Amino acid sequence: MTTSLQKWRIPLRLIKRYDIVFSCSRRLLHEGPDTIEELLDRHIVKKEKHLDDEEEELLNRRRLTSTRREALGLYRDIIRATRFFMWPDSRGVLWRDVLRENARKEFEEARFETDPEIITRLLIGGHDAVQSAIDKLAEKQRQQIQKERGGGD
């Protein structure tokens, strides 16, 4: 996921609602864990005292639910972030649609992954890619605004 999201090229055209993008880049797009350590603590299997079968099944179900919730949150973040990519690519297809299609494909490929470490790595990489794409978009928009203000005087 990281590689396809980091290949975005952001044109210098200005999206008129730069203030929304700027405010989104200052805060996280989700209400998930605040740090990578919290995410890892939540998803990495730790050695625990021996539990009976019922307690172990309940614990596994909680982990699965937490991972599923994180994955859905990441997917929603990607869908929200793609709203800002409204220009067409070389084929005439909106980048928004291309990015959403690629995100869907990558989520479907990892749908049945059961290894907690791989799942955590995918989630962290996805969150980083979305945040870096929004940061790059906001930076390009700031540069475009400065360029227009400097050229307009």
Side-chain angles (χ1 to χ4, degrees), residues 118-134:
I118 293 174
I119 293 170
T120 302
R121 194 175 323 132
L122 290 169
L123 289 171
I124 291 171
H127 284 294
D128 290 345
V130 169
Q131 192 61 43
S132 69
I134 290 175

Side-chain angles (χ1 to χ4, degrees), residues 12 15 33 50 52 73-74 77-78 96 105 120 122 129 151:
L12 294 177
I15 295 176
H50 182 67
D52 64 355
L74 174 60
D77 289 345
I78 292 170
R96 174 196 65 196
K105 184 176 74 174
T120 302
L122 290 169

Side-chain angles (χ1 to χ4, degrees), residues 30-42:
H30 61 88
E31 300 299 325
D34 293 330
T35 64
I36 292 175
E37 288 80 21
E38 289 180 12
L39 185 66
L40 289 173
D41 284 343
R42 184 179 301 171

Side-chain angles (χ1 to χ4, degrees), residues 98-114:
V98 172
L99 296 172
R100 287 180 180 181
E101 182 181 317
N102 287 339
R104 176 68 182 202
K105 184 176 74 174
E106 289 190 29
F107 271 82
E108 285 296 328
E109 288 172 0
R111 183 176 189 173
F112 297 107
E113 184 62 53
T114 56

Side-chain angles (χ1 to χ4, degrees), residues 38-95:
E38 289 180 12
L39 185 66
L40 289 173
D41 284 343
R42 184 179 301 171
H43 295 291
I44 300 295
V45 178
K46 300 172 187 166
K47 292 185 179 180
E48 299 175 357
K49 59 183 180 181
H50 182 67
L51 303 172
D52 64 355
D53 290 338
E54 265 184 45
E55 290 176 347
E56 193 168 325
E57 184 177 335
L58 181 62
L59 186 60
N60 285 335
R61 194 174 296 162
R62 282 187 193 150
R63 281 190 196 121
L64 181 63
T65 303
S66 176
T67 302
R68 183 173 291 145
R69 199 174 357 186
E70 285 290 326
L72 287 173
L74 174 60
Y75 189 76
R76 286 187 201 110
D77 289 345
I78 292 170
I79 297 299
R80 283 186 208 112
T82 58
R83 285 188 254 171
F84 301 115
F85 294 85
M86 296 300 297
W87 53 88
D89 66 357
S90 60
R91 298 172 297 164
V93 180
L94 290 177
W95 271 109

